[in-house]
Amino acid sequence: MNRIHSKEKIKTLVETYRKESVSKMNEAETRLRFIDPFFEALGWGIRNPNEVRIESTQELFEHQIKATDREIDELVYRLYGVTEDYINQD
């Protein structure tokens, strides 16, 4: 990918990010829509298993479980109308 195309791709990602309601996105969605495409625009082979080093299978599973737990929590909060103020109470 040439530099001009990379800059345009990153510019488009930034513009889209600013327009979207990213605070309501979960980690996985944010990664798929913005973070991975950003690194790809930089020329990183993040989808190539030969270029990506996963620390361990256990860490990967733990990360996926935590992300899923957060997504479930968010859905339940929305379902029952739980507010941000209530969620963030100490």
Side-chain angles (χ1 to χ4, degrees), residues 7-76:
K7 285 182 180 182
E8 288 301 315
K9 177 68 175 170
I10 292 169
K11 181 180 176 184
T12 301
L13 285 169
V14 170
E15 290 169 356
T16 304
Y17 182 86
R18 287 181 176 157
K19 291 177 188 175
E20 298 280 331
S21 181
V22 294
S23 64
K24 297 184 191 240
M25 287 185 196
N26 63 34
E27 182 179 326
E29 186 176 2
T30 303
R31 179 176 177 176
L32 288 173
R33 293 194 57 213
F34 298 104
I35 297 170
D36 288 355
F38 171 76
F39 286 121
E40 288 171 343
L42 295 176
W44 291 24
I46 63 170
R47 297 189 199 280
N48 181 345
N50 295 323
E51 293 185 32
V52 177
R53 188 176 135 238
I54 298 174
E55 297 300 323
S56 74
T57 305
Q58 180 67 29
E59 287 178 21
L60 177 62
F61 287 140
E62 288 173 5
H63 178 73
Q64 290 173 333
I65 289 168
K66 287 178 184 176
T68 302
D69 284 346
R70 284 191 299 271
E71 187 173 355
I72 291 169
D73 288 346
E74 184 179 308
L75 291 170
V76 170

